[in-house]
Amino acid sequence: MNYLFYTLLALFAFLPLPRGGTFDWAWLLMSVVVYLMAAAWLISYLQGKVSVTPAFKAARYVLVLLFNWLGWNLLQIIPLPIGLLEVISPLSAEMYRLVTPDIVSAPISVDVIATREQLITGLAYSLIFALVLLLVDNVKRLRVFTLWLIIIGVIQAVIASLALFGGQEIFYGASSAQGTFANRNQLAGFLEMNLAIGIGLLLASMKEAGHRSWRERIRSWAKTLLSRKVRLRIYLAIMVITLVLTHSRMGNTAFFASMTIAGVLALLLMKRSPRPVVILLTSLVIIDIFIVSQWFGLEQLKQRFEDLQEEKVSLDIRVNTLNRLNTSMSTRELHKEAALTGTGAGTFFVIFPAYQDIGQPGFFQHAHNDYLEFMSDTGWIGILLLAAIVIITFAAALRAMRKRRYPLMRGMAFSSAMGIISLMIHSSTDFNFHVPANAALFMVILALGWIALAMPVERQGKG
């Protein structure tokens, strides 16, 4: 099934280019391609040409939760008796009664078309997760796939940096790096995950500490950091530079916080590898923050934090920050009235104007907080399903870090843990999960946790 694997590579190369896949034709094309890939794999499976991988089997509970999530989205567009709707989703019932007082039945979703679109993309994301588990089925493919994703991240970083320094506009004029994404925060989220994958690969290349003299250790560290791994190290530096150039406060905070937290977890869980982990993370901090980034806008990013604290921000930034706070507060009020079921996946933009502060101008497609938007759209039922998916996968990544001895598997477990932590932090102020390129890449981050735990390796001893 090589052609399916290469199609998967092509898909991830394409997704960031049309504004992160947010154009209607782009996410629809993504969905169609993924459906066809899944159908082709299933046909081959029925013909006995392919088999289910250990990673897919290990992740079966996550797959069950994903399809329960899709089932909940489907249930939200099925008409229910109005009496039942008033009990389980009074806000939706009220909205329908305002339009048609004598209505007999109505769905939970206040915009069936929007929820149907979310169902289409949600199924595509779930199938991407499954296809990565099924197609990335050996160490060679895992190396190719992860390195390909890093190269895509580097290309996006180069595009963003050249556009910024050259004063060229791609989709919207901006004073910060944003690449082919709609804004800098979306690019920051994309780079965070690619950096997590890259750091995991670099960690996998670090040799275990043994009983060696200090001279041998220094020679080994120097060889690792400056010789064979120099290309990967340069890739990481380019992406870190561009991440700083986005001037995304939460994006940069999420990246460095997640790297620190995942590093501490690696030190606690990985056996026989504390020194390589310390050396790698220390080199990333010293080289990227205190040397490279000083030349490429770290001071501007620092100033944005200081200005926010000292209330010296420009009017535009004040308005943007106030809008985010007002949107979050209004979304909380919305959720209180639709706590159990939500108002339908993808319906935030429909229902939010009824709760929007009268002094808050503008139209808001998203809540600038993925947690609140998912709560508003799908209620406690939906958010608990999503939380279970992330928590179970994070636990699997930690198990892989503790259990696996093969360096690449431990490195991918680190990537999964770091990527999850990073997006969980960043999602408190942005909507990366509503950007197809970022949502699809996050499904890869989740899949890497299960691959790290369950992929067999041809090596003497335990894997």
Side-chain angles (χ1 to χ4, degrees):
M1 301 296 288
N2 285 336
Y3 73 94
L4 286 182
F5 179 68
Y6 293 126
T7 303
L8 186 68
L9 299 183
L11 177 67
F12 279 95
F14 159 78
L15 271 179
L17 300 178
R19 205 174 63 182
T22 53
F23 290 121
D24 287 345
W25 65 266
W27 63 256
L28 187 57
L29 178 61
M30 172 198 74
S31 301
V32 170
V33 170
V34 171
Y35 295 166
L36 291 175
M37 290 174 65
W41 187 92
L42 184 59
I43 291 171
S44 295
Y45 175 76
L46 294 175
Q47 293 175 343
K49 296 179 180 179
V50 294
S51 59
V52 174
T53 62
F56 185 90
K57 293 177 182 177
R60 60 189 179 277
Y61 297 117
V62 172
L63 290 163
V64 169
L65 288 169
L66 281 171
F67 282 96
N68 280 332
W69 157 261
L70 294 172
W72 174 237
N73 285 186
L74 180 61
L75 184 60
Q76 287 184 313
I77 63 176
I78 298 175
L80 303 173
I82 195 66
L84 176 60
L85 190 64
E86 287 176 337
V87 174
I88 65 173
S89 187
L91 179 57
S92 296
E94 181 183 353
M95 293 295 104
Y96 279 105
R97 281 203 181 276
L98 287 173
V99 178
T100 311
D102 58 348
I103 192 169
V104 176
S105 64
I108 292 171
S109 173
V110 296
D111 188 330
V112 171
I113 294 176
T115 303
R116 189 182 296 131
E117 290 176 355
Q118 292 297 308
L119 184 59
I120 292 170
T121 54
L123 177 57
Y125 297 144
S126 300
L127 291 176
I128 286 173
F129 175 76
L131 286 168
V132 171
L133 294 173
L134 293 168
L135 298 176
V136 184
D137 55 357
N138 57 57
V139 170
K140 181 179 179 181
R141 280 192 174 182
L142 179 58
R143 290 188 187 277
V144 170
F145 183 57
T146 51
L147 185 58
W148 177 251
L149 294 176
I150 293 167
I151 291 172
I152 293 169
V154 172
I155 292 172
Q156 191 62 221
V158 171
I159 291 172
S161 300
L162 291 178
L164 177 64
F165 291 133
Q168 299 295 317
E169 298 180 4
I170 298 179
F171 288 112
Y172 301 101
S175 59
S176 304
Q178 65 184 51
T180 59
F181 288 83
N183 63 57
R184 62 189 173 195
N185 297 302
Q186 294 174 12
L187 173 62
F190 185 75
L191 292 176
E192 290 163 38
M193 290 182 281
N194 280 289
L195 279 163
I197 295 171
I199 292 172
L201 273 182
L202 196 58
L203 182 62
S205 70
M206 304 291 285
K207 292 184 177 179
E208 295 182 352
H211 298 288
R212 297 176 293 177
S213 67
W214 277 106
R215 180 178 297 178
E216 290 173 332
R217 289 173 182 171
I218 293 172
R219 186 183 299 116
S220 176
W221 293 338
K223 183 178 180 181
T224 299
L225 293 175
L226 302 175
S227 183
R228 289 199 215 167
K229 318 305 180 294
V230 67
R231 184 171 59 182
L232 181 57
R233 192 63 191 82
I234 291 172
Y235 291 162
L236 295 180
I238 291 172
M239 287 192 284
V240 169
I241 290 169
T242 307
L243 179 60
V244 172
L245 287 173
T246 65
H247 303 147
S248 172
R249 287 170 297 208
M250 189 54 75
N252 282 271
T253 298
F255 167 65
F256 290 111
S258 64
M259 183 171 67
T260 302
I261 296 170
V264 171
L265 291 172
L267 289 174
L268 295 174
L269 296 173
M270 289 185 183
K271 298 177 181 179
R272 300 175 60 189
S273 297
R275 289 192 185 94
V277 174
V278 172
I279 292 296
L280 173 60
L281 298 182
T282 301
S283 76
L284 286 168
V285 172
I286 292 176
I287 295 175
D288 293 339
I289 300 180
F290 296 109
I291 299 178
V292 178
S293 297
Q294 284 286 353
W295 301 338
F296 292 95
L298 186 64
E299 193 60 37
Q300 290 174 267
L301 178 63
K302 179 182 175 184
Q303 191 64 45
R304 289 197 76 214
F305 281 103
E306 292 176 351
D307 285 349
L308 187 62
Q309 293 174 346
E310 297 175 11
E311 299 184 354
K312 294 180 181 178
V313 292
S314 67
L315 178 61
D316 287 344
I317 296 178
R318 282 178 185 271
V319 171
N320 183 45
T321 303
L322 185 61
N323 278 340
R324 288 192 184 193
L325 292 174
N326 286 340
T327 303
S328 295
M329 292 173 66
S330 299
T331 306
R332 289 190 184 97
E333 292 301 316
L334 194 168
H335 172 64
K336 288 179 183 178
E337 298 191 29
L340 178 63
T341 64
T343 58
T347 62
F348 173 81
F349 74 98
V350 176
I351 199 72
F352 180 72
Y355 293 81
Q356 192 168 347
D357 192 289
I358 193 170
Q360 182 185 18
F363 170 75
F364 290 83
Q365 183 80 17
H366 297 290
H368 290 277
N369 183 315
D370 275 322
Y371 299 109
L372 293 178
E373 186 164 347
F374 280 127
M375 292 280 279
S376 165
D377 286 356
T378 62
W380 282 111
I381 294 175
I383 201 71
L384 289 176
L385 285 170
L386 293 177
I389 290 167
V390 174
I391 291 170
I392 291 173
T393 301
F394 186 71
L398 297 186
R399 282 180 58 203
M401 273 199 277
R402 178 179 60 84
K403 177 182 175 183
R404 302 303 297 267
R405 293 181 59 185
Y406 192 72
L408 182 59
M409 297 306 124
R410 292 192 299 184
M412 291 301 97
F414 181 94
S415 296
S416 182
M418 180 179 167
I420 289 172
I421 295 169
S422 184
L423 260 288
M424 292 301 100
I425 294 173
H426 197 171
S427 290
S428 63
T429 60
D430 283 302
F431 49 93
N432 283 293
F433 290 121
H434 292 85
V435 178
N438 290 2
L441 187 56
F442 186 74
M443 300 312 289
V444 173
I445 292 290
L446 296 181
L448 289 178
W450 295 101
I451 288 172
L453 180 65
M455 178 180 281
V457 292
E458 295 180 3
R459 184 183 177 185
Q460 249 185 329
K462 295 182 179 179

